[in-house]
Structure formats: structure tokens, C-alpha cells
Amino acid sequence: MRRSRSSTAFRTGVALLATAALAPIASLSANAGPPSKPFVQGTQTVAAYDYDNAVHERIQVDVPGVDTDANGVKDQVTVDIIRPGEAAEAGIDIPVIIQASPYYAGDPKSYFDDAGTRQVYSSWLDNYFVPRGYAVAFVDMPGTFRSTGCSDVGADYEVLGTKAVIDWLNNRVPGHTPDGARAKADWSTGKAGMIGVSWNGTIANSVASTGVRGLETIVPIAAISSWYDYTRGFGVPFYDEYMGFLHDYVSNDASPRCEELTTEIEQDSDTRTGSYGKFWDPRNYRLDASKVKASVYVVHGLGDENVKTRHFGEWWDELAKRNVPRKIFLHQGVHLDGFSFRDEWVDKLHPWFDYWLQGLKNDVMKTPQATVQREDGSFVDEPRWPATGVKNTKLNLSKPLNAKTGGLSIAAASSDPISFTGTSQESADTVVLDPTAQRTDRAVFLSNDLEQSVRMSGTGKVTVRVKVNKVAAGLKARLVDYGTASRYRDVTNVPNTSVCWGDGNTLDTGCYAKTQINTAVSDASVAVRTLADIGHYRSLNRKESLQSGKWYDLSFELNADDVVFSAGHRLGLVLTVEPDNPSVPFNGATVTLDPAKSSLTLPLTNATDLATAETPQSRIAANSLAQPEPSKDPVELMRQFVEASR
């Protein structure tokens, strides 16, 4: 056994165990009540159990009435469990932390013993929480790795199969050992929490949206809340045939029926139009937010362009409408686990699980609702999110005659039209640099030089009146912070360092490098990127061909964000013309915008500082961006999806 970051608490727990061992036998009788919990000290759990003594087991959970691979046998979901052996011997029931994933087929064979029972959990969760009186379960999602049935990329097969694990923990469905013997979770309190990054966090959202009893809390990290919005930007597919690609990537293809689903899923997703149809409803968990009974701890990177920030923003808004108990942890990073920030995250998560799963009265729900990492890399706790004092503020667009750039303010708009042209290729983030330079491939609108800081917190909206000289075109809106500052760049491992998070052994150490937050000086930062198809101006349910010379009114929500525009900086809105669909040839188009009928609405504090419709009369230097542009390669995005989930 190896001591760790919590070795003091561990030694205290051992002392408590020793004291219990010396107690008279009579004190352990049925008349003495339930067994004591040596892993509880006051209102927190401590490391009291030896990781080397943990019970490892593999269970096959039945999915009643479901045979997705059409082989005549009900589907089964494989669950790998690790739980404290001392608790089992003492008859102490414990809650379960679940991480379901479609990616476990990529784990090395060395993670399993000769009988196929998992010995290594590719996570810090087991090392940290098992000694503290929790079980940790890894679930092979339906149709992946050792689970039978078929995957269906976020829909009913995936959700019902994973939900069955919660039902098994509460004795509502049967489970079996690998040799077929009946297995009951008689060691469990029935309380479960789900946690995971990316697809692993997405399944937590989806199972919570069923309202299943026994799921007490979820921690969705960089998680999808609507698969349509993961693969589309207001009608613009991000990639060609992406849903089929996702299904093929994770499916174990154990039957012809599962292989057929790859083609069916891609066809039904309707990449050719990018429209929303019934196919997407089961994959849109926001539609079932009213069923959520679990508490929710949302974690997301404000720089995540894989699972974009609208996923947490719109999910959060739906939960807020229904007063779901919730907290939020927002960092400046990309598609990352909260554990990338080590103590800052673990010290938030630990009391959350203690409260919701162990029932400890630690007042965690009385602590600040939000933790937000600011642009310089520092973390601040705040009473609520979106931020206190935020008001939706309409900013009008103006384009005075002969000016090189437009204005962005509360003041009245101008009616001077603006035309800008796109090519067959998507624009790059560098299009926002040197905003006062004359260019034909963008429309730029800048606020006045801010006298005090202005904060955006929440979800904004762009409204435009445009006409297009082609039958189709996309539009991208970038919200930009113009001004020199030292900004967050990334978080990286510190070479030749190691900290052990919980107990472990030679197979599963639970030790990780320290991390450091890196910053860089830049004079511009793209805060939000949002894409929309003008052809879906009327509805996401139908794409329409555009008529040259006809004006169209289009409104679309920006991806959620939390950004502070410091005093001396300017807000910028940069609009560009984009291809409307990657599966349909696009040769470029010219868009003409009417500023008088267009606007940008943002949830802001100190909005009165934006009262002047000023346009810059001299060049604004903006030559460097805070972060590299996100990858647009679906294979690279899938690599991020997998790596973030480990």
C-alpha cells in the first residue's frame, strides 16, 4: 500500500479501524444498529480503506425487453466494479460512482486479469474515492467493447442500456457474473452518481433525463446536451457524414444489424440538408430536462470548440427553469477534464459527492454556485451563474459613410449597407486581426474604447438582415476581445513531477504529473465562434434555397461564454461568409448586410459604457491571438474525444 496526498487522513482511518477491531464482539450485534463508517469523520469522508484489499468484479446487467442486435437474446451491459474490501467484510453499504464509456475497447489487455476482470481503472477516481468508502464502476456502453447489443450514438439504445445499471444497483433488473450466476448489488446503498468527460459525460446527461430513481447526481464534463448541436451549427453540418463516422468508431459490430445501423444513422441524420428532424429528438436531452431528478455539477471549458459551450449553456438554462440543484465549474481550457486543474477541481468534487451520495451535511449547497477561471488563469468563486447583475443588452450595428469599420453600441443604428464575400473555403480566426484595415472578406463592428470593464456572462444572440447573390451561404459570427493582455493559453504537465491522488499499487498507482497554467501576451482573443446557415432562416426543420436580391431575417444564438472585456479594450463582432454544407459544393458568395435591421444582444454588466456609436479613426493594432485556432479535422476531434475521456 502506498501513502498519498491524503496519507494523514488514511492513518486516522486505520486507527479508527484498529479501535473498532478491539471493540467487544457484542457491540457488533444486530441490536447495536448499523455498522459504523470508519471513512466518515464529521462531515467528510477520509481515506480509511486499503486499495490493495479492494474487491474487483465484473457483472453483466440485463437490459429487460431490449434486443437491439436482433439475435434473439436480450442485451447485456458489462460493468467493472472496484469497492473497498473492508466495507464488504463489515457489511457496510456504500454508494457508487459510475463512469460509462464507449471507449474501453482501447484499454490495454494488461488492464485485465486472465479471467477478464479489470484490475486497472484508467482514472484517478478509484484511487481517490474507494479508500473513502465509495465503489467505482466502469460501464461498457451498449454495443461497445464487452457489452452486447448495438450502439445508436446517443439515442434510446445507448440510454436505456446504461440506465439499466442504475436499476441493477437498486434491485430492479437482474445481473450475472461471467459464469452466469445471479449477482445482486447487496453491498450498495442504491445511490449512484455518474461522471465523465466528453461522450462519458454525455451519457450522464442522457440517463439523468430519464428521471431514473437512484441516480442522485451527475457530473457532466465537456458533455453534449444535444447531438444535433454537436454536429450542426444552426443548420450547417460541421463535417460530412459525421454521425455515421461516430457510430462506426465506437461500435463493436458484433452483428450484421449493428453494422447496418452505421448506414441508417448517417442517412437519417440528413447531412445533405443539415435540418432538424425527429431523428434528433431522442438525442436532444434538453427536451427532457423536466424529468431530471439528480443534482448536476456542470464542468466545461470556455475554449472548447469540440463540444461547444452552447451545450452547457442551454442545458444549464433548462435546469435553472426547473430549479434543479446545480453548480458549475468553468475553465479557460479546451476539451479537458476538470482534473487537469488538480486541487482546484478535486476540492470541489469531493464534498459534492460526500453530500449527494454519502448524505453528509457539509453545507456544500450553501457555498458559491459557480467557479470561473478568469482570462489570466486565476479561479474565482461566485454566488451564481450567469453572473449577478447581468442584463440582456441590445447592441446596434452602424456603418458611417466612408468608415473602414462599423460601430457596436447601444446608440441608434445606421442604414448604410455592407457587403462582404466568402470563398469555397472556411475562414480562419486570423480574419479578426487588424480590424480597422480595409478587407472585402469580412464585416467588422467595434465598440468604443471601454472606460471600465464590461462582462458578458451567458448566451448571446445575433440578428441580421441579409441578402445573398447565391442560392446558399453560411454565416459565422466571432465575438472578439481587442486589447493587449496576458491571457490563458493552455494547461500542461510539469516534467519530472508526480503526485498520488489517493491510494494505489504497482498496477494502478493513481499518480499523475503536476500541472501548470500557461499564459501569453496577445492583443486579441476570439471569445465566441458561432456558425449559421442563412437557408435555415425560417426554421431549423427546413432548408430553403435563397433568391438573389431578396432580404432575409436570421437570428441565431451564440455559444455561451463568460468573458471580461477590460477597461481600455474594445468588443468586436466579425462576420464572415462560410460554406453552408460540407457535402454540397460551394463556390463562394457575397452577403450584403443591413445594419439598421441587425443587432448583437449580449448578457452584459456595465453596458452603459457602450453608449457611444464611435468608430475608430485610427488603426487598432491587433496582430496576435491568445490561443491557436481549434482543429477542424474530425479524426483529430475524435482523438480529443477519446483522450479527454481517459
Side-chain angles (χ1 to χ4, degrees), residues 54-59 79-83 116-119 121 168 177-178 183-185 187:
V55 176
H56 296 249
E57 57 189 337
R58 175 178 152 199
I59 304 296
V79 186
D80 290 307
I81 299 168
I82 179 171
R83 51 191 176 92
T117 302
R118 183 182 285 275
Q119 302 299 309
Y121 290 73
W168 173 71
T177 62
K184 287 190 174 182
W187 46 265

Side-chain angles (χ1 to χ4, degrees), residues 62-76 148-150 254-258:
D62 290 349
V63 186
V66 177
D67 176 19
T68 56
D69 52 11
N71 65 353
V73 180
K74 72 179 65 173
D75 295 346
Q76 287 190 331
T148 62
C150 299
S255 75
R257 176 67 192 129
C258 296

Side-chain angles (χ1 to χ4, degrees), residues 363-444:
D363 291 336
V364 71
M365 295 307 294
K366 296 180 181 179
T367 60
Q369 184 183 68
T371 299
V372 182
Q373 187 181 29
R374 294 271 46 107
E375 288 76 6
D376 63 0
S378 62
F379 283 92
V380 294
D381 292 333
E382 300 190 335
R384 64 182 299 273
W385 196 89
T388 302
V390 163
K391 295 182 179 179
N392 280 330
T393 306
K394 181 180 177 182
L395 301 178
N396 295 306
L397 313 184
S398 60
K399 180 63 168 68
L401 188 64
N402 298 324
K404 295 180 180 179
T405 187
L408 186 64
S409 72
I410 303 172
S414 162
S415 60
D416 299 323
I418 305 168
S419 294
F420 48 106
T421 300
T423 68
S424 61
Q425 302 299 313
E426 296 180 55
S427 65
D429 275 355
T430 52
V431 74
V432 308
L433 296 178
D434 202 4
T436 48
Q438 190 75 48
R439 290 177 57 164
T440 60
D441 60 346
R442 67 186 185 184
V444 180

Side-chain angles (χ1 to χ4, degrees), residues 329-334 336-345 371-380 486-495 497 513-521 626-627:
F329 184 96
L330 299 176
H331 58 83
Q332 291 288 329
V334 290
L336 298 174
D337 189 355
F339 185 61
S340 298
F341 302 96
R342 301 299 193 259
D343 295 84
E344 188 68 41
W345 168 233
T371 299
V372 182
Q373 187 181 29
R374 294 271 46 107
E375 288 76 6
D376 63 0
S378 62
F379 283 92
V380 294
S486 179
R487 294 181 171 95
Y488 172 98
R489 182 174 176 83
D490 56 19
V491 58
T492 56
N493 290 339
V494 179
T497 62
K514 293 181 179 179
T515 60
Q516 65 183 16
I517 295 168
N518 305 307
T519 60
V521 175
Q627 294 180 338

